[in-house]
Amino acid sequence: MQHDVQNKIYLITGIASERSIAYGIAEVLSHYGAKLILTYQNERFRERVETYGHQWNTLATIECDVQNEASLAECIRAVESLECKLNGIVHSIAYADPEQLQGRFLDAITRDGFLKAHDISAYSFCALLKAFESFLVPNESAALTLTYLGSQRALPSYNVMGLAKASLEAAVRYTAANLGPSGIRVNAISAGPIKTLAASGIKGIKSMMEQAQERSFLGRNITTREIGETAAFLLSNYSSAITGQIIYADGGYSASAL
């Protein structure tokens, strides 16, 4: 059966390892016949992301450091040189200094830590949509970002990242309102806890995963592959009526009061 994403072109950010949620999304999209443009943060990740790209239907791998305006501008030029339009953007970028994700929130929080977490985890989504809005095909495109339950509930050690994810979720609604008249949809997946490279910096990640497994309706943690399948749905026209939403893909953990 042909999937709606087949032969469509998606810009994927945030692949750092095979455990990355972005990796799972790229793998699923490629499986369904989508064409991918992959970005990597800096030279440290270039070879790794290029290796992944060889496994998939990848048009290009491009450096894009979202904290660096010159790097973002160069990424735009590189995509422009491909002479193609985009059917979607996946933003899977988040970061806070490790010391911000330990202990009491009020003890850990600093001005610099707050600004960095929001810059990388929330503003970068807005920056990407602003940069690539003109590349998105009207009525045939969607943007997607990744969030977590810590945006809505106070979780041990998630600290400033909870604030940054709340900002990101607000950005989903505002950008959806902006892009809606062009028929471009914007949503977020709130995934259950997954031990990605980024999540390994959270001191309580093991406890978070154990709690999610114990309390979720499905009685287990979710996989990057499952998030990839959810992403493929939200990036396709199968979800043509859905925009400005936070879709929970966490086995029911967010809905549980057990």
Side-chain angles (χ1 to χ4, degrees):
M1 177 180 174
Q2 179 177 322
H3 197 286
D4 182 68
V5 302
Q6 187 170 26
N7 294 320
K8 292 183 177 179
I9 301 174
Y10 297 93
L11 178 71
I12 312 289
T13 70
I15 298 177
S17 76
E18 292 184 10
R19 293 187 297 168
S20 297
I21 292 176
Y23 181 98
I25 293 173
E27 188 174 46
V28 169
L29 288 175
S30 179
H31 173 74
Y32 288 132
K35 299 175 182 179
L36 309 179
I37 300 170
L38 308 179
T39 74
Y40 55 92
Q41 181 186 359
N42 52 39
E43 192 64 21
R44 172 189 169 194
F45 295 100
R46 179 181 65 81
E47 184 175 356
R48 186 183 307 175
V49 175
E50 286 180 347
T51 299
Y52 298 151
H54 293 323
Q55 305 170 25
W56 305 321
N57 305 315
T58 304
L59 300 178
T61 54
I62 302 168
E63 182 172 341
C64 186
D65 182 348
V66 294
Q67 280 194 291
N68 186 314
E69 292 295 334
S71 178
L72 182 57
E74 185 59 36
C75 180
I76 296 168
R77 286 191 289 270
V79 174
E80 192 171 33
S81 71
L82 297 174
E83 298 184 343
C84 65
K85 289 290 188 177
L86 299 176
N87 296 104
I89 295 173
V90 175
H91 171 269
S92 185
I93 299 171
Y95 181 81
D97 288 329
E99 59 269 22
Q100 295 286 305
L101 304 176
Q102 300 179 32
R104 294 180 71 240
F105 168 71
L106 287 177
D107 293 337
I109 190 73
T110 65
R111 185 184 301 275
D112 286 345
F114 177 94
L115 293 175
K116 180 182 287 188
H118 282 72
D119 181 19
I120 298 174
S121 308
Y123 173 72
S124 63
F125 180 58
C126 305
L128 282 174
L129 293 189
K130 186 174 183 177
F132 290 104
E133 179 180 359
S134 64
F135 290 79
L136 293 167
V137 181
N139 302 309
E140 289 289 335
S141 300
L144 183 66
T145 188
L146 279 301
T147 185
Y148 183 58
L149 184 62
S151 65
Q152 302 297 314
R153 301 183 188 178
L155 300 176
S157 298
Y158 203 61
N159 293 358
V160 72
M161 189 56 75
L163 280 65
K165 290 297 190 182
S167 177
L168 177 65
E169 292 180 15
V172 166
R173 293 184 283 273
Y174 279 92
T175 54
N178 276 194
L179 297 175
S182 298
I184 298 169
R185 298 176 298 104
V186 185
N187 294 292
I189 297 174
S190 185
I194 298 175
K195 196 172 183 181
T196 63
L197 189 63
S200 63
I202 302 171
K203 187 176 181 180
I205 184 62
K206 182 179 179 181
S207 175
M208 289 166 66
M209 294 187 69
E210 290 173 349
Q211 185 179 78
Q213 180 172 335
E214 179 183 343
R215 297 186 180 182
S216 72
F217 297 150
L218 296 181
R220 62 174 176 82
N221 285 305
I222 50 92
T223 67
T224 56
R225 177 80 188 195
E226 289 176 308
I227 300 305
E229 296 285 358
T230 305
F233 166 69
L234 290 172
L235 291 167
S236 74
N237 284 334
Y238 297 148
S239 59
S240 60
I242 302 174
T243 192
Q245 302 301 311
I246 312 302
I247 306 299
Y248 287 89
D250 60 5
Y253 174 53
S254 58
S256 173
L258 300 177

